[in-house]
Amino acid sequence: MNSLTSTVTLNNGVEMPWVGLGVYKSAPGSETETAVRYALDAGYRHVDTASFYENEQSVGVALAAHDVPVEEVFVTTKLWNDDHGFDRTLRAFDVSMEKLGLETLDLYLIHWPMPDTFAETWKALGRLYSEGRVRAIGVSNFLEHHLRTLAEQSEIVPAVNQIEFHPMLVQQPLLEYCRSFGIRVEAWSPLIRGLFFGHETIARVAEECGKTPAQVLVRWDLQHGVVTIPKSVHRERIVENADVFDFELSETQMQALDELDRNYRLGPHPDEIGR
Ligand code: NAD
C-alpha cells in the first residue's frame, strides 16, 4: 500500500482502494460536487455515499463531469432503513443507480441491521450481485450476532462490514470475527469527526511523526488493515487526509493509540436501531 490508488482485494476478488472520500453531511449540489472533484483531482479513486445522505445525485454529477473515467472510481452506496425487504430493496437500488447515473455499482451496503428484515434484505443484495448489477455486496454496522445470522441463512459472505472504528472504539472481537471470515472492515468516522485532534496521545504521535492528527488517524486504520473514508469538503483537508503514504506508525505508537479504546461511540449502538 503506497498510494491513493493502492487497493485491497475483497473476498470475491474485487479491488477496493484503501482510502476513499466520505460524503456524509456534504450538502447536495455544489458542496458535494466540488468535494468529489477535489478528491479526484487529489488522486482519490473511491467515494462513499448513501441514499440517506441525499447527495447521490451530486456524486453522480461530479463523477460524470471529471476527466477520470467513471469506471476507475470505486463507488459505494447504502440501502437505508426504510427500504428493507426484498422488493423494496430492489426498487431502492434502482433509485440510487438512477441518481448516481451508473450502470454498475462497486459496493452496495445494508446501512444498518434492521432486526426483522436484514436477512431478507441480504437476499435482495444477493440477487443484485448475481445479476451483475453490483460488483460486491456488504453490510454496515453489523455486530457479530448479525453476521452469524447472515451466515446461517445465506452462502454469500459480505465483502465488507463498514463500522464506526477509531482509537476510541476498537471492537477487537468484531475485527477478529470479520478477519476470520474474510469480511473486510471499513472505518466510518475515522477522524472521530475531529473531536479528539487535541487529545494528548494523538497530538503527541502526530508531532513525533511530523504529520497532522488527521493523518495519524487515517494511517492507524491502514496499519490495522482497515479501509478508511475520511470526510471533508475542503480541498486542503481532502489532500491532507490522503497524504498518509510517506510515513509509518511504530509499534509503540500503534499501541499507544490502541490504548485509547473506551467503547466511545459517536453513532447509535447497532442493537438500538429499529427497536
Ligand atoms: P470523520 O471522522 O471522517 O470526520 C469528518 C469531520 O472531521 C469533518 O466534517 C471535519 O469537521 C473534520 N475534518 C476532516 N478532515 C479534517 C482535517 N484534515 N483537519 C481538521 N478537521 C478535519 O466523520 P464522518 O463523516 O462521520 O465519517 C466519514 C464517512 O464515513 C462519512 O462521510 C460517511 O461516508 C461514512 N459514514 C458511514 C456511517 C454508517 O453508518 N455506515 C456513519 C457515519 C459516517
Side-chain angles (χ1 to χ4, degrees):
M1 170 200 318
N2 53 22
S3 79
L4 267 177
T5 52
S6 298
T7 56
V8 57
T9 307
L10 301 178
N11 63 14
N12 66 347
V14 165
E15 298 291 327
M16 178 179 197
W18 281 101
V19 178
L21 177 75
V23 295
Y24 179 40
K25 294 201 171 159
S26 300
S30 65
E31 185 169 83
T32 298
E33 288 169 29
T34 52
V36 173
R37 175 157 54 83
Y38 295 152
L40 296 177
D41 288 349
Y44 286 70
R45 293 295 178 267
H46 171 184
V47 180
D48 180 89
T49 183
S51 66
F52 179 65
Y53 306 166
E54 296 185 341
N55 55 23
E56 288 168 310
Q57 195 147 4
S58 310
V59 169
V61 166
L63 292 174
H66 205 276
D67 291 345
V68 172
V70 74
E71 313 76 59
E72 289 181 19
V73 185
F74 188 99
V75 180
T76 301
T77 194
K78 315 184 191 83
L79 176 89
W80 187 239
N81 303 345
D82 297 341
D83 293 320
H84 274 233
F86 194 87
D87 293 336
R88 291 174 74 98
T89 297
L90 299 181
R91 281 198 294 273
F93 179 80
D94 285 341
V95 172
S96 284
M97 294 300 276
E98 179 76 29
K99 288 184 177 162
L100 286 163
L102 297 175
E103 287 288 308
T104 313
L105 183 69
D106 294 294
L107 178 64
Y108 199 38
L109 303 178
I110 300 179
H111 208 142
W112 288 92
M114 294 291 281
D116 300 331
T117 45
F118 73 81
E120 191 195 346
T121 299
W122 184 245
K123 289 187 193 147
L125 265 66
R127 163 78 72 88
L128 294 167
Y129 180 62
S130 66
E131 289 173 351
R133 302 200 61 203
V134 52
R135 296 171 63 235
I137 54 175
V139 295
S140 176
N141 300 302
F142 275 45
L143 301 173
E144 186 174 326
H145 72 90
H146 301 115
L147 295 168
R148 284 191 190 280
T149 302
L150 285 191
E152 282 159 16
Q153 300 190 19
S154 167
E155 289 188 353
I156 307 181
V157 178
V160 167
N161 186 14
Q162 184 184 110
I163 56 174
E164 183 176 345
F165 180 76
H166 44 67
M168 307 276 173
L169 179 68
V170 177
Q171 306 184 82
Q172 191 62 33
L174 179 58
L175 289 192
E176 278 162 23
Y177 179 90
C178 289
R179 268 185 206 134
S180 64
F181 287 92
I183 302 167
R184 180 60 53 175
V185 173
E186 179 179 15
W188 66 253
S189 290
L191 307 178
I192 333 174
R193 297 192 179 143
L195 295 173
F196 293 93
F197 286 169
H199 184 282
E200 200 190 335
T201 305
I202 297 172
R204 174 177 54 77
V205 172
E207 200 180 327
E208 285 168 8
C209 297
K211 301 296 277 188
T212 66
Q215 290 166 335
V216 164
L217 291 172
V218 170
R219 186 74 210 180
W220 178 82
D221 287 343
L222 300 180
Q223 289 185 218
H224 273 300
V226 169
V227 173
T228 184
I229 44 172
K231 179 249 174 174
S232 178
V233 295
H234 304 291
R235 189 199 288 269
E236 67 288 0
R237 288 179 173 180
I238 289 171
V239 170
E240 173 189 329
N241 296 344
D243 180 14
V244 293
F245 298 101
D246 62 350
F247 78 113
E248 200 169 333
L249 298 169
S250 67
E251 251 176 61
T252 319
Q253 290 166 332
M254 286 297 285
Q255 206 179 329
L257 293 165
D258 290 348
E259 283 168 9
L260 299 182
D261 187 16
R262 59 196 64 176
N263 223 21
Y264 168 86
R265 283 181 194 275
L266 294 157
H269 190 285
D271 279 332
E272 286 166 13
I273 292 291
R275 296 275 177 215

